[in-house]
Amino acid sequence: MSNLKGLGVALVTPFNEDLSVDFDSLTKLVDFNIKNGTNYLVVLGTTAEAATLSSEEKKAVTEHIIKVNNNRLPLVLGIGGNDTMDVKKQIEEADLSPFDAVLSVSPYYNRPNQEGLYQHYKVLAGTGKQIIIYNVPSRTGQNVEASTTVRLAKEFPNLFMIKEAASNINQYFDILRQKPEHFNLVSGDDEFTLPVTLAGGNGVISVIGQGYPKEFSTMVQLAFDGKVKEAYEIHNKLVDITRLIFAEGNPAGIKTILAELGIVKNYVRLPLVVASTGLQDKIKAEMAKI
């Protein structure tokens, strides 16, 4: 599974003005990322506004990305939820042949304790599929603690990676220090990408990366090569824009960048709304500096 290394991007779903899926822009987005150094693509993550896509749309978006990608980059498919048995069923019924792994967010809203989180992923591991644990407490309301992640990693080899997005960077370092050899960690927080990679992480599954794939993938590669000073030059250049794109929720910010680059149109589905004029102005000013 070492090919899921470097810059993975959680692709947005572009929409037309009538909020139907804009497949032409999706083609442009995939090609732009492939040509500019992205290492793998994540389909139907949070950034894709997957929560607001119908099952027919999810299928169409997935098939379109598979077709446009045409085996050029490894693919990861997001399948998660807060009903364990339903998530298990979805994983078992999905055609995963085009995908290297499933990215599965920890159960949200129910707020299970650590034992509940462990049992949830134990059931998913029972599918025999390659699964990436996704911990994002700011969205789920519950943290998968480092001890739980390490316990799962040691017991189930097909839980081979975590996308870690806890707000406390020490948690990333605890996992990296205690994990078994085969288990990988990628940053789920764009701003933590460089320090986490330098500490032994496998890179990032990124939002900002799809707007700046060349810069972001170069930064991660420099980190792998131990070229710390050069890597931090890129990191420092991108910190402000990375913070701006999350200021009013994701993917409102990254869609502003992608629209400015002429890759997608700037539309999101409710309950999200497009970035305010003030934020869009700030993002465009920062883009001009970069």
Side-chain angles (χ1 to χ4, degrees):
M1 278 301 147
S2 59
N3 54 351
L4 297 181
K5 187 174 180 177
L7 172 63
V9 300
L11 294 167
V12 304
T13 303
F15 297 122
N16 294 302
E17 192 174 356
D18 65 359
L19 298 185
S20 60
V21 176
D22 178 357
F23 291 101
D24 291 343
S25 295
L26 188 55
T27 300
K28 274 197 267 187
L29 179 65
V30 171
D31 282 335
F32 174 71
N33 272 273
I34 293 172
K35 285 171 189 157
N36 286 286
T38 294
N39 300 108
Y40 60 100
L41 303 172
V42 178
V43 181
L44 299 183
T46 312
T47 306
E49 297 174 73
T52 67
L53 297 176
S54 69
S55 50
E56 292 81 8
E57 286 171 330
K58 285 180 184 175
K59 186 168 181 281
V61 165
T62 303
E63 286 172 355
H64 189 80
I65 293 169
I66 291 167
K67 188 172 119 208
V68 174
N69 179 55
N70 194 21
N71 295 315
R72 288 182 285 176
L73 294 184
L75 299 175
V76 172
L77 180 64
I79 304 178
N82 59 348
D83 174 350
T84 304
M85 300 325 279
D86 182 59
V87 177
K88 175 178 182 272
K89 183 167 177 275
Q90 285 184 58
I91 292 171
E92 286 173 338
E93 291 177 356
D95 174 11
L96 297 175
S97 54
F99 296 94
D100 280 52
V102 167
L103 176 68
S104 197
V105 70
S106 68
Y108 41 81
Y109 191 75
N110 313 32
R111 302 194 69 195
N113 65 11
Q114 296 305 304
E115 184 59 26
L117 292 167
Y118 167 83
Q119 293 294 341
H120 171 82
Y121 280 110
K122 180 181 177 178
V123 167
L124 302 193
T127 63
K129 306 299 183 186
Q130 295 293 317
I131 291 170
I132 302 167
I133 300 164
Y134 179 18
N135 182 39
V136 57
S138 62
R139 286 185 178 274
T140 63
Q142 191 67 305
N143 180 35
V144 182
E145 291 170 8
S147 57
T148 302
T149 298
V150 172
R151 182 184 173 199
L152 287 164
K154 285 178 175 170
E155 290 185 32
F156 307 105
N158 60 319
L159 299 178
F160 72 101
M161 188 154 98
I162 184 167
K163 178 186 177 186
E164 180 58 76
S167 57
N168 178 5
I169 200 166
N170 290 335
Q171 181 159 307
Y172 299 62
F173 298 149
D174 287 346
I175 295 167
L176 287 168
R177 213 173 57 249
Q178 298 163 21
K179 72 180 185 66
E181 181 99 10
H182 75 273
F183 189 78
N184 298 312
L185 178 147
V186 293
S187 180
D189 184 316
D190 284 340
E191 206 175 324
F192 288 173
T193 302
L194 183 52
V196 166
T197 304
L198 289 169
N202 253 33
V204 63
I205 291 176
S206 174
V207 177
I208 190 70
Q210 68 200 297
Y212 291 97
K214 198 169 276 180
E215 293 85 346
F216 226 74
S217 61
T218 301
M219 179 188 77
V220 173
Q221 192 54 53
L222 287 167
F224 289 146
D225 295 342
K227 295 180 177 168
V228 180
K229 185 172 172 288
E230 297 94 322
Y232 265 108
E233 280 168 11
I234 300 174
H235 167 89
N236 290 332
K237 194 167 78 167
L238 295 174
V239 164
D240 286 338
I241 193 118
T242 300
R243 289 180 185 172
L244 284 170
I245 66 162
F246 295 109
E248 292 179 5
N250 181 40
I254 188 63
K255 281 192 168 178
T256 300
I257 290 177
L258 294 170
E260 190 67 8
L261 293 172
I263 297 170
V264 310
K265 305 180 191 97
N266 199 1
Y267 299 110
V268 295
R269 284 183 177 177
L270 288 169
L272 298 179
V273 292
V274 296
S276 64
T277 311
L279 181 60
Q280 289 193 43
D281 290 346
K282 284 181 191 165
I283 288 172
K284 288 170 191 175
E286 192 57 37
M287 286 178 77
K289 279 192 227 166
I290 296 167

